Amino acid sequence: MKVEDLIINNTWNIPEEMLKFFSAGDLPLLSTESDKLIWTATQDGSFSVQSAINIVRQKHPKLRWCKKIWKACVHSSTTANVWKITRGACTTDENVKKRGMNIASRYYLCLKDQDTISHLLWACDYGKIIWNCIGGVFAFKNPKSFDDIMSSCKDKSSVIQELWHIAAFNILVDIWFIRNKLFFEDIYLNSRKEK
């Protein structure tokens, strides 16, 4: 069935069975004029090469968070993984539940709380040991968020900032990878070895 089969004498003729799925008021008004193309990028509806160029070159607002993550001093693969972690693109039980699956959740490293990215990075006993170790080297407190990582070194020299970013970003990725190894390979954890 085509749309033209539903139009008789320039009026809609919709079978009752189809009206269960939508109302007749949702249908567009019919006109006796022939159809015409309208280019929505211009005021008068006509196409021009310049209007197409303006659409392709449309400027978007600058992203401020990307400067926090993409650092020249940090290896690009580490940065890419930090980007995934900060954007919540990690497969945790929390994200699986958001997709509608009902599962029992327990964090794989400390076995104390649910498997969430927040617990993984900031609240887990295993992660706290690693953060304490590196925080002792830099004399920084344990971070409670990604913003804490970025703000803890902002008043320090550029060398300290770069070293801190390298260390902190690698810790974020290592904690994530260790969680995955434990989940997929059932390994034994040794926090001394990680330090």
Side-chain angles (χ1 to χ4, degrees), residues 21 33 42-43 52 60 69 88 93 107 126 166-167 180 193-194:
F21 303 105
E33 297 178 18
T42 58
Q43 293 288 343
H60 298 284
I69 294 175
D93 290 351
Y107 186 57
Y126 181 81
I166 292 167
N180 286 342
K193 181 181 173 188
E194 287 303 316

Side-chain angles (χ1 to χ4, degrees), residues 1-194:
M1 179 178 280
K2 296 182 179 179
V3 174
E4 65 184 17
D5 298 333
L6 301 173
I7 300 172
I8 298 174
N9 296 329
N10 204 31
T11 59
W12 289 105
N13 187 22
I14 309 295
E16 288 294 324
E17 303 86 44
M18 292 179 73
L19 288 175
K20 294 176 189 174
F21 303 105
F22 60 89
S23 69
D26 294 335
L27 297 170
L29 296 175
L30 297 175
S31 173
T32 56
E33 297 178 18
S34 61
D35 293 339
K36 64 178 179 177
L37 292 174
I38 297 176
W39 180 250
T40 58
T42 58
Q43 293 288 343
D44 63 356
S46 60
F47 174 80
S48 71
V49 174
Q50 184 61 43
S51 65
I53 290 172
N54 289 338
I55 287 177
V56 172
R57 292 188 179 166
Q58 186 176 13
K59 297 192 185 244
H60 298 284
K62 289 186 178 182
L63 300 174
R64 301 204 184 278
W65 60 265
C66 64
K67 289 182 180 178
K68 291 182 177 182
I69 294 175
W70 298 98
K71 305 275 184 194
C73 61
V74 182
H75 194 276
S76 58
S77 66
T78 302
T79 304
N81 284 308
V82 169
W83 180 82
K84 291 176 192 174
I85 291 168
T86 58
R87 305 308 297 160
C90 302
T91 307
T92 59
D93 290 351
E94 174 185 38
N95 286 343
V96 171
K97 285 180 180 181
K98 285 179 185 175
R99 292 189 181 114
M101 299 185 82
N102 291 325
I103 58 173
S105 175
R106 188 166 81 172
Y107 186 57
Y108 304 100
L109 290 173
C110 66
L111 304 175
K112 288 186 177 178
D113 203 348
Q114 292 189 6
D115 185 28
T116 65
I117 197 70
S118 175
H119 181 79
L120 167 73
L121 299 176
W122 319 117
C124 173
D125 293 340
Y126 181 81
K128 285 180 181 180
I129 292 169
I130 305 301
W131 286 116
N132 277 334
C133 178
I134 197 67
V137 172
F138 286 91
F140 294 157
K141 292 189 270 183
N142 280 9
K144 303 265 189 265
S145 67
F146 186 75
D147 289 334
D148 284 355
I149 289 175
M150 302 311 291
S151 65
S152 60
C153 68
K154 74 177 177 186
D155 296 331
K156 306 295 182 188
S157 71
S158 61
V159 173
I160 297 296
Q161 286 182 12
E162 286 187 6
L163 288 172
W164 173 248
H165 289 138
I166 292 167
F169 286 12
N170 278 298
I171 287 172
L172 289 172
V173 173
D174 285 344
I175 290 173
W176 173 247
F177 284 174
I178 287 166
R179 179 257 183 216
N180 286 342
K181 276 189 177 181
L182 185 63
F183 180 75
F184 292 110
E185 299 172 18
D186 200 25
I187 63 165
Y188 172 75
L189 291 177
N190 184 350
S191 59
R192 285 188 179 153
K193 181 181 173 188
E194 287 303 316

